[in-house]
Amino acid sequence: MISVVIPLYNKKESIAHTLECVLKQTYQEFEVVVVDDGSTDGSAEVVEGFADERIRLIRQENGGVSAARNRGIEEARSEYVAFLDADDEWKPEHLQTLVGLMEKYPQCGAYSTNYEFKQGEKVKPTILNKIPFDGEDGVLSNYFEVASCSHPPMWTSAVCVKKSLMNEIGGFPIGIAAGEDLLTWARIAVKANWAYSIKATAVYCLGEENVVVRRRHVEVDPVGDELVALYKANKSVCGLKEYVARWYKIRSMCFLQEGQTRLVWKTAMMCLRYKPSNIKVYAFCMLSLLPQSIINKIISKYS
């Protein structure tokens, strides 16, 4: 059996569809643990409307998505825990694909399929480079190398991890507003290999077309701090140094878009500490000296 953990917070409009995606799986040996993290919009009542006895609803006070996922892991009755966000989707063969990976690569403690992006009616594939195997699946022995030059190969709603391995790394980090999943997968990757299918069986739903919700970035960076600590403790892990550099490169680009010149330079210097040859980061620093209107035009032209 697989335990499917769904953190829920004010997703009344999407949770029914998400649950239906689980119930329509070709592989039916599962339980669903929905952790309602203090919803106020009636989301929990939607879950209660499902009569399937495999669905369990756990209620708790609002503690954030990591706390909800960790509670779900704690409540899970299976050794294998698959994660699904309350506004994402699975294709019918998702769980069956994961089970196939478990059977084929039992030496791995973590399993994932590829995923695709969906915004409104538009669907886009991920970009994956340096996959170390031929064929549809294999062991992603170079996780950090792939993650440093691709879209994130793992997305929370595509992942299944042994409960014991999640407990070993301490679960999802509490108190981190964004990037907590990337940090979790990195912590797993230094302890175990990922078994991976390049078949996209999960769907990352981005909301309606032409609606972009941007969160202004702040200087405090707990994910970056933890990734640096992870690298210092695991310097021999292939690609981890470049992965840390990529994190700071992305933050530098975000600060450039937001007009936060000082933080563009600060994060650029952090990136260059781990990858001095990153030419784009030098360009970010030079661009940050221009008026923001010109920066925006340049970014829109090349994005």
Side-chain angles (χ1 to χ4, degrees):
M1 184 175 71
I2 295 177
S3 293
V4 180
V5 169
I6 302 178
L8 176 64
Y9 180 70
N10 289 351
K11 297 293 183 181
K12 182 180 179 180
E13 301 303 320
S14 61
I15 183 58
H17 176 67
T18 297
L19 286 172
E20 287 165 2
C21 290
V22 179
L23 297 178
K24 291 178 181 178
Q25 291 295 297
T26 56
Y27 184 85
Q28 286 285 304
E29 297 298 319
F30 60 78
E31 66 164 352
V32 183
V33 182
V34 180
V35 180
D36 179 55
D37 194 43
S39 293
T40 58
D41 68 343
S43 295
E45 287 70 25
V46 174
V47 177
E48 289 177 329
F50 282 78
D52 197 304
E53 62 182 11
R54 292 173 296 181
I55 299 175
R56 285 190 287 142
L57 176 65
I58 310 296
R59 295 176 184 263
Q60 67 177 29
E61 293 184 5
N62 182 257
V65 66
S66 288
R69 288 179 184 142
N70 289 343
R71 178 68 183 278
I73 295 168
E74 180 183 339
E75 297 283 348
R77 295 167 178 163
S78 170
E79 170 62 1
Y80 295 96
V81 181
F83 298 99
L84 176 60
D85 284 350
D87 54 359
D88 287 337
E89 303 174 7
W90 282 348
K91 296 180 182 181
E93 68 275 18
H94 178 68
L95 286 181
Q96 188 65 64
T97 303
L98 288 173
V99 170
L101 290 175
M102 296 172 198
E103 293 174 344
K104 193 171 181 179
Y105 307 101
Q107 74 275 18
C108 295
Y111 308 87
S112 181
T113 70
N114 193 5
Y115 59 97
E116 58 192 21
F117 301 99
K118 181 179 181 182
Q119 187 162 33
E121 297 301 317
K122 293 182 179 179
V123 177
K124 294 183 179 181
T126 57
I127 297 173
L128 296 175
N129 298 308
K130 297 188 178 181
I131 297 296
F133 52 82
D134 297 321
E136 191 172 87
D137 57 54
V139 176
L140 203 66
S141 55
N142 62 338
Y143 169 80
F144 292 108
E145 187 178 19
V146 175
S148 295
C149 62
S150 311
H151 282 125
M154 312 305 171
W155 175 247
T156 307
S157 294
V159 163
C160 181
V161 184
K162 282 187 176 182
K163 181 175 179 177
S164 56
L165 181 54
M166 289 301 303
N167 289 334
E168 184 179 348
I169 66 166
F172 289 88
I174 302 295
I176 295 179
E180 81 291 334
D181 50 351
L182 297 179
L183 179 56
T184 301
W185 314 145
R187 287 173 171 172
I188 287 174
V190 300
K191 289 184 174 293
N193 280 329
W194 286 88
Y196 194 72
S197 171
I198 62 172
K199 183 179 180 182
T201 61
V203 182
Y204 178 14
C205 298
L206 299 172
E208 296 301 316
E209 287 185 60
N210 304 318
V211 177
V212 179
V213 179
R214 285 198 170 95
R215 173 184 57 83
R216 188 170 176 83
H217 293 74
V218 297
E219 184 170 2
V220 177
D221 182 19
V223 175
D225 294 343
E226 290 296 328
L227 287 176
V228 168
L230 193 68
Y231 167 68
K232 289 180 178 179
N234 301 274
K235 289 186 176 181
S236 63
V237 174
C238 176
L240 180 50
K241 185 176 183 180
E242 290 74 18
Y243 186 73
V244 175
R246 180 180 174 87
W247 174 260
Y248 287 110
K249 173 188 171 183
I250 292 171
R251 280 179 60 80
S252 185
M253 177 65 173
C254 291
F255 288 132
L256 180 66
Q257 292 175 311
E258 296 166 2
Q260 300 194 66
T261 302
R262 181 179 67 84
L263 296 181
V264 172
W265 282 76
K266 179 179 179 179
T267 50
M269 293 305 103
M270 288 295 294
C271 173
L272 296 173
R273 180 182 300 178
Y274 296 97
K275 191 176 180 181
S277 62
N278 199 317
I279 297 175
K280 284 187 177 181
V281 173
Y282 290 104
F284 294 164
C285 293
M286 296 301 101
L287 284 173
S288 70
L289 302 177
L290 299 174
Q292 192 62 38
S293 59
I294 296 177
I295 294 173
N296 293 340
K297 287 180 180 179
I298 294 173
I299 292 174
S300 62
K301 182 178 180 179
Y302 292 99
S303 60

